[in-house]
Amino acid sequence: MTPISSLWGGPGRRGLAGLVCAALAAGGLTAVGVATLEPGAASASSHREAPLISGTPQYDNTDVYAFVSPDKPDTTTIVANWIPFEEPAGGPNFYTFADDAQYDLHVDNNGDAQSELIFRYTFKTHVKNKNTFLYNTGPVKSLDDPNLNVTQTYDIDLIKLRHQKLVSKTRLADNVPVAPSNVGKASMPDYGKLRDQAIHKTAGGAATFAGQADDPFFLDLRVFDLLYGGNLSEVGRDTLKGYNVNSIALQVPNDLIRESAGQPVVGIWSTTQRKNARGGWTQVSRLGNPLVNEVVNPQKDKDKFNASAPWDDAQFLKNVTNPELPKLIEQIYKIKAPAEPRNDLVDVFLKGVKGLNQPPHVKPSEELRLNTSVKPSAHPKRLGVLDGDNAGFPNGRRLTDDVIDEALQVMEGELVGSKNDLGDAVDANDKKFEKYFPYVAQPTSGSRGQLAKGTTSGTDVRSQLGDALRPAGASSGSGDTVLIASSAASGAAGILLLGTALAWWRRRMRRPY
């Protein structure tokens, strides 16, 4: 994809443009029609997209993906991520899901903007040895390894609703282990084995995974420096390269989530509820389509959107029909913004594309809509429906879909005659995705720097760590010198000398200020 500086003259897109334009020409959507949205009676987040949630990353939902499973087309896979910008070496307190949160995956299977199904994940943290600062006290070879000091487990409940009233609640899984943060090669020499052990299959034919993963979202985030700084000098750098997230992945039979084979379209979104001081639950994050709460909603609506539900989305309608982004692009790059109201955006983002993923009698609302009857593409195209691949965004969202380029082109009028080839020049993730569930790439390891001078990759100082934590019959004398070393027999070359620093610190603390 050419960068945003290649303004016009790109190849015309078929598929989505034809479907939407046909719907508009037939009077399927008018300004009057979308203005009749009615709010319900009930009271998409992305990477640091709203003021309140940016300060509480454990509850911050970064992205949602939903696609028909490429290797199991009778199932749908939902991937939802939390905790943006996880630095792989960010210890000693590595990344965990919150114990006081409900992580919910919602399914609307009749287009009424309400949840008919909720898959609820709740987590619990376990610490074996609270007398050490370490996340792991030695190399970890399995999820039940005693050396893995901090672990998490989770439960899954399936909640069935009708018109927001509880129909049933079923426990799908108990005490499932979470894949840990990838501390590094010394701590977790075979991380792939740990990930495999964290994949759990339920009795009902579903599969689930929770744990750390490479952040699958790829884009150049310099867009927020006044749209690439106004000079496009740095476009093409994947800002999220090397960062991880905490992922929840769920693979479920299509027949479990859709209304029927005759009505196969589902709307999917995720929310995070946090326990409040009164013991109740407060929704603090919400995400369906990508980029909605980042670049569609203005500051005044961001926190409100995170606390809202799809059936109440009429309050945000103007943000879609009169978007800010095209006006900014016009101001900076002199590209004329498409005429308003933008009914084409309503069709794509609030209703689904007629003839593809728009359910009958749909109530416009912000959900990621997926037609579960569309088979996976043998050769996925990163621009999805824009490039004639109906198995991709905005019909659900695959890990490989380039939603930044798609969103830029649609925002700039691709569907209403303003053909363009805009993009950020980041066309793929830095890591390859897996071919099988949970599909997300393994997380970047905390040990990714150069080896210390004088050491080799075969050096092993790990075997002595347990003895150093619990020395048998050894005394440190004055306490000013502590050595954690490998034995001569192990041939280790590295010695960590902490005593000098400790003694200096003690002397400094006695110094008057």
Side-chain angles (χ1 to χ4, degrees):
M1 174 57 56
T2 53
I4 193 172
S5 53
S6 271
L7 304 182
W8 307 112
R13 305 289 185 226
R14 297 185 298 274
L16 179 58
L19 288 168
V20 172
C21 290
L24 293 173
L29 178 66
T30 65
V32 174
V34 296
T36 59
L37 292 173
E38 294 182 1
S43 60
S45 74
S46 195
H47 298 67
R48 297 178 52 81
E49 92 298 338
L52 290 178
I53 198 63
S54 63
T56 51
Q58 276 185 307
Y59 313 89
D60 188 358
N61 194 181
T62 67
D63 284 283
V64 172
Y65 303 81
F67 49 90
V68 176
S69 308
D71 56 322
K72 291 185 176 182
D74 60 339
T75 69
T76 290
T77 296
I78 303 170
V79 176
N81 299 327
W82 280 264
I83 313 181
F85 298 104
E86 289 183 3
E87 163 57 45
N93 297 299
F94 288 93
Y95 305 98
T96 58
F97 292 95
D99 288 7
D100 63 342
Q102 296 171 334
Y103 298 92
D104 287 356
L105 307 178
H106 298 255
V107 179
D108 168 14
N109 61 23
N110 60 14
D112 66 353
Q114 301 183 36
S115 308
E116 276 71 56
L117 302 173
I118 299 175
F119 296 92
R120 174 163 292 165
Y121 285 68
T122 52
F123 292 82
K124 185 176 182 181
T125 304
H126 315 271
V127 181
K128 295 182 180 71
N129 179 5
K130 295 185 177 181
N131 293 319
T132 176
F133 64 86
L134 291 170
Y135 183 77
N136 57 290
T137 57
V140 177
K141 298 180 179 179
S142 65
L143 292 184
D144 59 359
D145 195 314
N147 289 333
L148 185 54
N149 191 41
V150 180
T151 62
Q152 284 197 299
T153 56
Y154 64 94
D155 301 334
I156 309 175
D157 291 310
L158 172 57
I159 301 167
K160 294 186 177 181
L161 304 167
R162 182 174 175 80
H163 303 307
Q164 295 305 303
K165 295 185 182 298
L166 180 65
V167 174
S168 65
K169 184 176 181 180
T170 306
R171 178 60 55 90
L172 294 184
D174 280 298
N175 298 316
V176 182
V178 175
S181 293
N182 190 357
V183 175
K185 296 176 182 177
S187 295
M188 296 168 184
D190 188 355
Y191 189 84
K193 181 179 178 181
L194 302 180
R195 161 172 281 199
D196 290 344
Q197 292 175 356
I199 298 173
H200 175 78
K201 295 185 177 179
T202 72
T208 179
F209 167 84
Q212 194 178 51
D214 172 71
D215 192 337
F217 194 23
F218 51 92
L219 79 165
D220 189 336
L221 272 177
R222 194 170 175 257
V223 64
F224 297 117
D225 181 14
L226 294 182
L227 296 178
Y228 304 110
N231 59 18
L232 307 169
S233 61
E234 294 181 18
V235 172
R237 175 179 176 266
D238 183 0
T239 314
L240 298 180
K241 178 180 179 180
Y243 287 106
N244 299 324
V245 289
N246 274 21
S247 285
I248 288 175
L250 178 67
Q251 189 175 80
V252 290
N254 292 333
D255 289 339
L256 176 62
I257 60 173
R258 63 191 181 190
E259 186 179 54
S260 66
Q263 202 307 89
V265 177
V266 295
I268 292 171
W269 71 99
S270 62
T271 60
T272 314
Q273 290 76 239
R274 186 177 186 180
K275 185 173 286 189
N276 58 40
R278 297 184 297 275
W281 298 93
T282 301
Q283 181 179 308
V284 295
S285 184
R286 170 190 168 193
L287 182 60
N289 279 294
L291 305 172
V292 169
N293 213 20
E294 275 189 320
V295 300
V296 175
N297 288 330
Q299 289 285 342
K300 67 182 180 65
D301 287 336
K302 289 181 178 295
D303 293 329
K304 185 189 299 183
F305 180 86
N306 270 341
S308 69
W311 58 85
D312 200 20
D313 278 351
Q315 61 185 315
F316 307 115
L317 177 61
K318 188 177 180 181
N319 302 340
V320 178
T321 58
N322 301 78
E324 180 184 14
L325 180 59
K327 298 167 189 170
L328 294 176
I329 292 176
E330 179 177 358
Q331 181 179 358
I332 296 172
Y333 294 109
K334 311 308 178 186
I335 304 172
K336 186 172 178 57
E340 296 175 346
R342 295 295 304 278
N343 295 334
D344 57 316
L345 301 182
V346 175
D347 227 28
V348 172
F349 296 113
L350 298 184
K351 297 177 69 176
V353 179
K354 194 172 183 64
L356 178 60
N357 65 339
Q358 183 179 125
H361 316 298
V362 63
K363 178 173 182 176
S365 54
E366 202 286 290
E367 302 175 7
L368 183 61
R369 301 190 192 275
L370 173 68
N371 186 335
T372 60
S373 70
V374 176
K375 299 302 181 184
S377 174
H379 303 286
K381 298 180 180 179
R382 65 183 183 87
L383 293 181
V385 180
L386 270 183
D387 201 15
D389 181 359
N390 284 350
F393 184 79
N395 182 28
R397 181 187 179 189
R398 300 169 299 196
L399 297 172
T400 56
D401 285 335
D402 191 347
V403 296
I404 289 292
D405 286 13
E406 293 174 89
L408 277 172
Q409 292 177 29
V410 171
M411 278 283 186
E412 286 305 302
E414 176 74 30
L415 307 181
V416 290
S418 297
K419 301 300 181 183
N420 65 88
D421 201 26
L422 302 182
D424 66 347
V426 181
D427 295 343
N429 192 45
D430 62 297
K431 286 190 172 186
K432 295 293 185 182
F433 298 115
E434 304 287 346
K435 294 182 179 179
Y436 307 102
F437 183 84
Y439 304 106
V440 287
Q442 290 188 24
T444 298
S445 167
S447 58
R448 51 183 174 160
Q450 295 181 345
L451 292 171
K453 185 177 181 179
T455 66
T456 66
S457 60
T459 299
D460 186 358
V461 299
R462 296 167 296 170
S463 60
Q464 300 300 309
L465 185 55
D467 293 339
L469 290 172
R470 296 175 296 276
S475 172
S476 60
S478 67
D480 285 348
T481 302
V482 179
L483 295 177
I484 300 178
S486 62
S487 65
S490 68
I495 296 178
L496 301 179
L497 182 60
L498 305 179
T500 302
L502 180 61
W504 175 86
W505 179 78
R506 286 176 172 170
R507 288 194 298 271
R508 183 174 180 84
M509 292 301 292
R510 292 195 294 266
R511 185 183 303 169
Y513 287 90

